[in-house]
Amino acid sequence: MKYTVIKSTSYIDKNIVKKSVNFNSRNNFIGYLLTIFDNDTVRTLCRIFYIGTSKHWQGANVFWQIDDAGKVRSGKIIHYNPETGKRGKQITWVHSVLKYEDFNLKQCLYGLHRIRNCKNKIIGIVESEKTAIIMTGLALSKGIMKNYTWLATGSLNMFKSEMLKTLKKYKIVLYPDLGIKSKNSITPFLQWENKTDNLKKQG
């Protein structure tokens, strides 16, 4: 008989997260947010989402994945253009940069820690972390869709049942990217739509 060994989820010390969060740092993504929102709104977004800065690349941003128990799964490091908000092609993870051995990354929805204070709100799920932050900023500054708590899958393929288990008691509305249909694949919108029937059956 063969046995499958299930490795426990690895975590990162939250003190590392706290040290990375600095509104006054040279963070290109924060710089971009300041072209959209006022200082107070951006400060609040930095606090809500623990928007971090990495020295791995000059001006690089860290999207910390913090679960509903407040534990830090890891942080995704991405470099952004401060004027256009477009991200670079290179992506890495904090645990890789810190060279943690035998680190078992089990991703969660970006912003999942926010549901601990979520009362009778609708969960809006988008693909990118940037979109979740901007939609939250619009709610704070303009009152747009302020009854939503915005979370992100982090990538197109991370929309799956294991990522949604903690949200069963909430009303969830999906906002997939429209995308462009190619010869070898359907649009992101249709990919997410095709998964919804099975997910509804699972509750």
Side-chain angles (χ1 to χ4, degrees), residues 21 23 47 52 57 67 75-76 93 123 130 132 134 151 155 194:
V21 181
F23 176 78
R47 176 177 55 79
W57 297 307
D67 63 25
K76 187 190 294 184
W93 291 87
I123 302 294
K130 181 178 81 171
I134 289 174
L151 309 180
S155 71
N194 290 343

Side-chain angles (χ1 to χ4, degrees), residues 12 49 105 116 141 146 158 178:
I12 287 178
F49 287 98
L105 172 63
R116 290 182 294 172
S141 62
K146 61 182 180 181
M158 289 306 291
L178 288 175

Side-chain angles (χ1 to χ4, degrees), residues 9-10 33 63 67 110 120 126 129 137 139 157 182 188 203:
T9 304
S10 299
L33 290 177
F63 290 129
D67 63 25
Y110 179 71
N120 301 319
V126 294
E129 297 92 345
N157 296 324
S182 66

Side-chain angles (χ1 to χ4, degrees), residues 157-173:
N157 296 324
M158 289 306 291
F159 174 59
K160 46 191 176 182
S161 60
E162 64 187 74
M163 298 281 279
L164 305 177
K165 286 180 180 178
T166 54
L167 303 177
K168 278 193 173 184
K169 65 179 181 179
Y170 298 98
K171 179 179 178 180
I172 301 171
V173 182

Side-chain angles (χ1 to χ4, degrees), residues 125-127 156 174-179 188-190 192-193:
I125 298 181
V126 294
E127 183 179 332
L156 178 65
L174 307 176
Y175 291 89
D177 293 351
L178 288 175
F189 181 91
L190 289 175
W192 278 23
E193 187 178 50

